[in-house]
Amino acid sequence: MDEYDEMYGIEDDFEQQFADELEVMAEMEREHPTSAKVSEFRKKSISQTFEEAIVSGDVPLRKSVNNHCPESISPPVVEEEESLTPKPKKRRQDVAKKLQFENGDDITPPSSPEVYDRPARDWPGFSLSLSPDRPEATKITANVLDISGLATLQESPKRDSAARRHVQKRPPAIGDYITVTDSMGNRVYLNKKEDEEKVPDPRAFRNSLNGLGLLAVPIEVLKEQIAERRHRQVMEESQRLTELMNSGIDSELLAEEQADSGVDGDSGEDEGSSSRLWVDQFSPQHYTDLLSDDFTNRCLLKWLKLWDTVVFGRERKPRSAPADVRPNFTNAQNQNQSQRFKTKSQMTEEILEAELDQYKRPKFKVALLSGPPGLGKTTLAHIIAKHAGYNVVEINASDDRSAELFQKRIDTATQMKSVLGANEKPNCLIIDEIDGAPAAAINILLATLNRKDSKEGEESGANALKKKKKKQSVLLRPIICICNDLYVPALRPLRQQAFLLAFPQTVPSRLAQRLAEITRRQGMKADTGTLMALCEKTDNDIRSCINTLQFLHSRGQKHLDQRSVNSVSVGLKDQNKGLFSVWQEIFQLPRLKRKRIGGDPFGGFNEAGPKDGAQRLQHILHLVSSNGEHEKLTQGLYDNFLSMKLKDPGMLGVCTGLDWLCFSDLLNECVLHGQNYSLMRYFPFLPAAFHHLYAANSVPRINYPHSHYEAFTKTQHTKNALVAMLNDIPPAIQNRISMSGLCLDIISLLLELISPKLRPVNPQLYSTREKQQLYDLIDTMINYNLTYRQDRTPEGQYTYVLEPNVEDVVHFPGLPPRRQLTYQVKQLIARETELERMRRMEKAKQKQNPQKTEAVNKDQEKKTEVKKQTSRNHQQRLENIVKQTVVESRPELDFFGRAIVPKEKPVVTTTSEDGKGGGVVHIGKAVGNSDVWFRFNEGVSNAVRRNVYIRELL
Amino acid sequence: MFFGVSCSKAGEGPAEWLLVELQGEMVSRQNTGLAGNLMGDLHYTKEGVPVLIVGHHILYGKQVKLEKPFAVLMKHSGLPQNEDDAMETNQENPTFYTVSALIKKKLIFKTRPKPIITNVPKKV
């Protein structure tokens, strides 16, 4: 058997030459008793001789074999080979078949089902079948197909070892082995078997790994498809070859070809008919065809009708008139609509019934339709405008980026009118995708809305038609704007002036009904469930649904089933969802209708079926990648995943989730550090993994992630404290400590150091040792720039806290607080620290002072000199005055009329150095030329202010 | 601005001083400082109103009893003069104060001073 396998591996190349030998060998093998007694060596020797024979027989071929051996073979081939191992019997039949083919003249490829199953293996046989007719051609094909043949050849040794896996008494000659000695001392040898051999059915393998099914289509299906395609290629190749070889054409082939061409022609016709998009083909033509919400439709129509007065000159109908009109359009839905009217809708109605302004225009000049894409907003606008008798002019705001162009087009659309056409309808401007327009364009639109004529006062009485002729600048045409996102910042000013209409989701049943109609007309078969699935998949996006249908139709699928709908990746649109909805979808299992829900997200996942899981996976992946805010999303997941209902007691899910978070973090770091953005494609897998780990049926309660921000602020706080501490530490100490060192190593110990046991008594009573301790403590605190600050707690108590508060830096929440000093001791330390600090400051100042005082003295001298010079004029004048008074004064007489000799002659010129007091000096000579005089401070009582230095008191 | 004025009999216990409070400043004419200079004359009228004559200003005040009496302390530093840094931990003789005087009353001069004009020039 084993030999046979080996031989089979090489068969393809040497079969031609050794066909007979092969047969003989097979016979021999069959005759061998396959008892365990037969040693490997004997078998080996046979195989070796056989190989030698090959080598001796065909050296060049052998070489080529060696050359090709290192080249790896494509995986599918391996797989196919693997699947073959259990049933070697069949192989023999194959060989027999091939031999039969060799004998016969049958050129057409074998049509046995096996061919489809394992085409890779059958190619060589296939080429062989051609050989008898055309040896040359065979050579070519043989060369071409050599590689595949060799691939199997390379496989052969593995299989060889796999077959000999039983226990042996002697060390095997080929391959690795493990020696095992039992307690009796018997030694046996176990063959090492390669791991790949173990790989069983890939499907089972995948399931055992609890594969997430990252591919939309399982790998087996893909493989099958590839195999099929290959097979088809080979078929074509063979056909080509046979055509080449045989000038005469087989009737069978001809028929087939014809059939083929027929199919081609058919599809060509299909394309011709479907060149038009179905979306256009089946777009609603009338108001009644509209799929969108009736209320929305009606509101827009009513709004547009408000313009009738100014545009068409018709008087507004009395209120009962619209009520008459309404049933015509929506009589069927009127009843159920009336129940759904809410306050908001009533408000909308009120807006619609509001009075017209002075130009008889409605209050809101612009209607702003908003909603997700594909709901038929544009269609609605067009149809309603047509219905109300307007000529639709559409501007795509995202096309016309420049403001001037926008202005021009608005003006053209709103102020002009086609005169040549037979249908002289007034224009209705539809601005599509206005959220893509730049803010400048929107401002222009607003300016157009608010434009007023300067002469409006004079012609207030004139009628609308007259106005239209004279005042072209006033906006007199309705404008409908359409946007996807109502809350784009650029639209903010417009929002206030626009009649807002939010588009609700299309009702899936209506949409499905419409889709059914379309499929029926196009000759496709689809049941309602499938169509509902399609609606669900596209989020009731009409356009997307129809496009998907057309796509599937054009691919030739006449019958639509659920599976094909699910596997198609079209129909998914690129639309942002809010973070909360994304989180919700991640943490919540989708509600499946008429489907069994995998109850347990962990165990039940497998039973729910990989297809469902894969679908969900794809959904999440798409959702997340379209959201784009990866960091925020991850934070949200991180903050919320622990609050989900976890059902495994071993917390394995949590561990896995944390592993995923680590992975994502590493990935993020890698991306941001190395600008390796190609890795970003792996980001969405984190949410997908979380979905599979934590998704539950209940509605999750999701909190906005704060932990990151909190951690960030805390880090900032800590850093600030550390920086404040570091900055004022004297450089001699500062240069030894870094921030991280301070944080990790020093502070916790430092805090212990600065809380020694001190007696809460007056420091005067301390012993020398205690005083020294206190002094050391204060020295440490000053050197590390620490002190105690009095703080008032909210309760009104006073406490001393460390300043800067590095206690928080090293204190882990939840741990018991460290031993604190008493209030008195802290107070004492704070005071002493302050004093010591002052003392040091003083000392430092005194060191600097001597030079400073000298400098000050010099300055003062200079000043006085300057003052002398400046005050000279003033002084001279005063001197003159004084001299005059002195000259003209009478000599003083006493009571008896005797002249009194003045005791002291007034010193006039010499001592008046101070210019300020110059006048006073001379006048006050009688009271005495005292050195001290009094300056009155009027209204000020800063009497008691004097600098007292600590050093003077100590 | 406060000044201590030595008052009454020295002898038994600490002397009693008077505090003189002025609304204003004493300014030295030559920027030489107040120390050692004669400030002025303090008189009492017959009614007991204190009158202070400083330079060419005359100030009228009143005598007030202090709510809390002051003690004038004299500091006797235990530190050697040249190194006054360390916290006197190893010094045998710590700083001590002696009460040299008590102040129980003060004289307040808060009115605007009146100039003393002795010599009015005839022509300016």
Side-chain angles (χ1 to χ4, degrees), chain A residues 521-559:
Chain A
R521 281 203 205 169
Q522 289 297 324
M524 282 174 85
K525 277 183 194 166
D527 57 342
T528 324
T530 313
L531 293 176
M532 287 295 269
L534 184 61
C535 296
E536 198 181 326
K537 178 162 182 158
T538 55
D539 280 340
N540 301 326
D541 178 341
I542 303 169
R543 179 166 48 202
S544 178
C545 280
I546 298 177
N547 281 341
T548 310
L549 277 183
Q550 185 174 15
F551 176 69
L552 291 174
H553 183 259
S554 67
R555 276 212 315 203
Q557 276 181 298
K558 300 291 181 199
H559 183 77

Side-chain angles (χ1 to χ4, degrees), chain A residues 395 406-415 429 444-445 448:
Chain A
I395 297 179
F406 196 71
Q407 168 87 68
K408 201 175 140 198
R409 295 193 66 166
I410 287 182
D411 288 345
T412 321
T414 54
Q415 293 171 5
L429 183 61
I444 282 176
L445 178 62
T448 315

Side-chain angles (χ1 to χ4, degrees), chain A residues 669-925:
Chain A
E669 189 185 339
C670 199
V671 168
L672 294 181
H673 278 228
Q675 271 84 43
N676 193 355
Y677 294 108
S678 60
L679 289 177
M680 278 176 78
R681 80 175 74 152
Y682 297 108
F683 283 153
F685 286 98
L686 170 76
F690 267 60
H691 177 70
H692 280 291
L693 287 171
Y694 307 119
N697 281 319
S698 56
V699 178
R701 194 173 296 158
I702 287 168
N703 298 317
Y704 197 77
H706 294 294
S707 65
H708 180 256
Y709 177 72
E710 277 162 16
F712 180 73
T713 46
K714 203 170 177 190
T715 313
Q716 283 300 108
H717 181 76
T718 307
K719 268 189 185 164
N720 286 343
L722 284 177
V723 165
M725 184 178 168
L726 261 179
N727 277 347
D728 285 342
I729 289 179
I733 301 169
Q734 198 179 5
N735 62 3
R736 318 235 162 170
I737 49 181
S738 62
M739 192 180 277
S740 63
L742 193 67
C743 177
L744 297 176
D745 297 332
I746 298 174
I747 288 182
S748 54
L749 301 174
L750 189 67
L751 289 179
E752 289 296 327
L753 274 182
I754 62 169
S755 50
K757 278 173 186 153
L758 286 172
R759 283 190 295 151
V761 294
N762 193 327
Q764 296 293 338
L765 303 176
Y766 280 170
S767 67
T768 321
R769 214 181 53 92
E770 279 176 325
K771 276 184 182 171
Q772 185 60 38
Q773 202 183 5
L774 180 66
Y775 178 69
D776 286 345
L777 165 63
I778 286 164
D779 190 47
T780 311
M781 286 189 68
I782 287 178
N783 277 331
Y784 281 98
N785 186 37
L786 292 172
T787 183
Y788 285 106
R789 180 168 51 86
Q790 201 182 31
D791 216 3
R792 195 165 179 269
T793 56
E795 293 88 51
Q797 283 184 322
Y798 285 97
T799 52
Y800 274 97
V801 291
L802 210 57
E803 167 80 24
N805 200 349
V806 285
E807 247 168 319
D808 291 348
V809 174
V810 290
H811 182 251
F812 285 97
L815 291 183
R818 64 176 67 241
R819 193 177 60 81
Q820 292 278 354
L821 293 171
T822 58
Y823 181 81
Q824 284 87 355
V825 173
K826 278 185 176 177
Q827 193 175 23
L828 169 77
I829 291 172
R831 201 180 125 262
E832 291 292 331
T833 314
E834 205 62 24
L835 287 178
E836 181 63 24
R837 211 168 261 178
M838 278 184 191
R839 229 176 266 136
R840 291 186 183 194
M841 292 266 279
E842 289 279 327
K843 212 171 131 193
K845 262 190 188 170
Q846 274 181 350
K847 272 184 190 167
Q848 293 176 343
N849 261 354
Q851 297 98 26
K852 259 198 175 174
T853 44
E854 280 173 25
V856 169
N857 286 343
K858 277 180 187 172
D859 274 3
Q860 281 179 345
E861 279 169 24
K862 273 182 190 172
K863 270 185 187 172
T864 48
E865 278 172 21
V866 170
K867 275 179 182 173
K868 265 184 205 169
Q869 288 179 350
T870 52
S871 66
R872 197 155 283 163
N873 288 336
H874 165 65
Q875 206 175 349
Q876 275 177 355
R877 191 169 145 263
L878 279 173
E879 275 172 19
N880 288 336
I881 294 167
V882 170
K883 271 175 192 169
Q884 283 173 351
T885 57
V886 168
V887 168
E888 290 178 4
S889 67
R890 276 190 323 185
E892 276 179 309
L893 299 176
D894 69 356
F895 182 75
F896 306 104
R898 292 175 298 187
I900 296 170
V901 181
K903 294 169 203 163
E904 217 183 305
K905 285 229 166 181
V907 185
V908 177
T909 52
T910 51
T911 57
S912 65
E913 288 200 327
D914 201 345
K916 199 164 65 179
V920 180
V921 170
H922 304 302
I923 294 163
K925 62 193 176 204

Side-chain angles (χ1 to χ4, degrees), chain A residues 764 768 771-772 774-775 778 832 836 839 843 846 881 884-885 888-889 892 911 913-914 917 920-921 923-944 951-954, chain B residues 1-2 21-34 37-39 53-57 59 75 77 79 84-90 95 97 109-113 116-119 121-124:
Chain A
Q764 296 293 338
T768 321
K771 276 184 182 171
Q772 185 60 38
L774 180 66
Y775 178 69
I778 286 164
E832 291 292 331
E836 181 63 24
R839 229 176 266 136
K843 212 171 131 193
Q846 274 181 350
I881 294 167
Q884 283 173 351
T885 57
E888 290 178 4
S889 67
E892 276 179 309
T911 57
E913 288 200 327
D914 201 345
V920 180
V921 170
I923 294 163
K925 62 193 176 204
V927 185
N929 193 10
S930 67
D931 277 338
V932 177
W933 61 294
F934 181 67
R935 187 194 291 154
F936 181 70
N937 288 336
E938 191 173 7
V940 177
S941 173
N942 55 358
V944 223
R951 88 177 114 92
E952 290 170 4
L953 294 174
L954 291 171
Chain B
M1 188 168 263
F2 293 113
E21 195 177 322
L22 302 172
Q23 180 161 4
E25 293 174 58
M26 302 305 297
V27 181
S28 166
R29 204 176 293 274
Q30 309 293 341
N31 274 336
T32 52
L34 297 169
N37 282 336
L38 180 72
M39 178 184 151
I53 299 171
V54 182
H56 61 284
H57 285 129
L59 294 94
K75 176 190 168 198
S77 175
L79 291 173
D84 54 343
D85 53 345
M87 286 184 52
E88 76 258 10
T89 43
N90 293 322
T95 310
Y97 298 87
F109 297 96
K110 56 182 182 185
T111 52
R112 178 176 288 278
I116 305 168
I117 298 170
T118 54
N119 190 7
K122 299 286 178 293
K123 236 199 296 183
V124 177

